[in-house]
């Protein structure tokens, strides 16, 4: 088990909402970053989510191949093997997928899991994201409803985005304006179209001022109370408390008080990419600066193999990312909550 079964993944989400904590969802682009995320989850005693974007999957397939499905499948298969060595559970997820990439990314991956499930196997990925933030809400939900039927049949959870996350990530960009804030009407329309679990389970990335990218703490103007307003409105109509399982995108630069407010209102998953990229790169830069004449053949010298061996600086990079995952788990209150194997 290490890679969560559909039942374990559902239990993870239920426990997170009931306990007002969330799982760090760490974007990875290689076996190294994946291993580092696993290390971090294990050190924190936290279950977690490992995710790959369209650009990350394309990169994993090889810079001259650029096949998103090949890259995603390869990394997922790798994860299924190496995760067995850890005592925590992880779910595999694909991140932001806009409309123009659905046929070349999410739909083929859902089909692969459906084929596996039909053979009595577990799905390859445990959840997939459809990012319909760039299309009108009616179209967004129409596509979401079609995908939800397919993910439910394949024992997969769908993630949708209702609203717009500002800034840029993986070539997907959006303006920083009023559209950064989802409305009660958006939430009610989502529940009406997708149900509240009877059509299949889904996660909802509502927006409350979220922005992708690098920001100092306090520079992002978040309004987590919007999440409560939407949850309360849907809950009043359908007789459920905190009916939506929420996702927090664009969290870099968020104040801890804002993060905790979002957790209290039903956020069960928080995406972390910008901060972990830096945490992975910073130790490498430090190593290269401190060992300049070892990693380079300066003035005709031979350098020091022990300094430029990728394993030497790679271990430092992985440890740096793992520490940031531990910090994330502590901030999101998931540290020490693992279900175990």
């Amino acid at each position: 088990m290490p890679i969560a079964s559909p039942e374990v993944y559902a239990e993870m989400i239920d426990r997170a909402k009931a306990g007002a904590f969330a799982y760090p969802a760490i974007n990875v682009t290689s076996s190294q970053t994946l291993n580092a995320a696993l290390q971090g989850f294990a050190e924190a005693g936290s279950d977690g989510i490992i995710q790959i974007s369209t650009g990350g999957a394309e990169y994993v397939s090889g810079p001259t191949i650029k096949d998103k499905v090949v890259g995603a499948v390869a990394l997922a298969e790798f994860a299924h093997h190496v995760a067995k060595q850890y005592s925590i559970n992880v779910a595999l997820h694909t991140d932001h997928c806009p409309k123009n990439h659905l046929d070349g990314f999410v739909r083929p991956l859902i089909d692969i899991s459906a084929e596996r499930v039909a053979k009595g196997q577990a799905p390859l990925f445990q959840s997939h994201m459809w990012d319909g933030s760039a299309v009108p809400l009616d179209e967004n939900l129409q596509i979401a409803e079609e995908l939800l039927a397919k993910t439910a049949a394949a024992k997969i959870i769908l993630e949708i985005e209702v609203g717009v996350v500002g800034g840029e990530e993986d070539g997907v960009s959006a303006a920083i304006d009023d559209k950064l804030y989802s409305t009660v009407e958006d939430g009610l329309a989502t529940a009406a179209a997708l149900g509240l679990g009877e059509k299949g389970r889904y996660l909802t990335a509502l927006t409350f001022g979220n922005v992708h990218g690098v920001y100092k703490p306090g520079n992002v103007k978040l309004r987590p109370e919007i999440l409560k307003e939407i949850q309360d409105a849907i809950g009043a109509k359908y007789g459920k408390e905190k009916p939506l399982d929420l996702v927090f995108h664009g969290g870099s630069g968020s104040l801890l008080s804002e993060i905790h407010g979002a957790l209290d209102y039903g956020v069960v998953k928080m995406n972390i990419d910008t901060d972990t990229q830096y945490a992975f790169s910073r130790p490498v830069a430090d190593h290269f600066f401190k060992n300049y004449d070892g990693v380079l053949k300066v003035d005709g010298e031979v350098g020091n193999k022990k300094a430029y061996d990728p394993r030497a600086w790679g271990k430092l990079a992985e440890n740096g990312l793992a520490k940031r995952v531990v910090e994330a788990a502590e901030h999101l209150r998931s540290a020490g909550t693992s279900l175990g194997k």
Side-chain angles (χ1 to χ4, degrees), residues 244-267:
L244 297 181
D245 300 327
L246 300 180
V247 179
F248 188 160
H249 285 254
S252 296
S254 302
L255 298 174
L256 195 56
S257 59
E258 295 169 332
I259 293 173
H260 287 171
L263 302 184
D264 292 337
Y265 302 144
V267 165

Side-chain angles (χ1 to χ4, degrees), residues 20 22 24 26 30 39 50 58 66 73 97-98 126-127 133 136 148 169 180 224 237 241 247 269 275 303 314 339:
I26 308 300
S30 65
Q39 177 185 331
I50 289 175
E58 188 175 86
K66 297 184 178 180
V73 169
C97 182
Q126 286 63 61
S127 51
S133 60
L148 184 60
E169 182 180 48
L180 299 185
K237 182 173 181 177
E241 184 180 358
V247 179
K269 171 180 180 281
D275 289 352
L339 288 165

Side-chain angles (χ1 to χ4, degrees), residues 25-41 49-53 56-57 59-60 75 78-79 82 86 90 92 272-281 284 313-325:
I26 308 300
N27 280 67
V28 299
T29 55
S30 65
S31 60
Q32 276 192 306
T33 50
L34 189 151
N35 280 332
L38 290 171
Q39 177 185 331
F41 288 135
I49 298 168
I50 289 175
Q51 57 190 29
I52 188 166
S53 64
Y59 176 76
V60 170
L75 200 60
F78 178 79
V82 297
Y86 294 85
V90 291
L92 303 179
I272 302 171
D273 187 17
T274 301
D275 289 352
T276 47
Q277 286 179 349
Y278 183 79
F280 184 81
S281 301
V284 180
W313 49 266
K315 291 176 184 177
L316 299 175
E318 291 181 38
N319 285 334
L321 194 156
K323 287 180 181 178
R324 184 61 183 85
V325 172

Side-chain angles (χ1 to χ4, degrees), residues 5 24 34 38 60 63 72 80 95 98 117-118 129-130 138 148 159 162 174 198 223 261-262 273 326 335:
S5 67
L34 189 151
L38 290 171
V60 170
H80 275 265
D95 200 12
V117 169
M129 182 184 180
W130 147 235
D138 287 348
L148 184 60
E159 180 183 331
V162 178
E198 67 275 11
R223 294 171 54 199
D273 187 17
V326 171

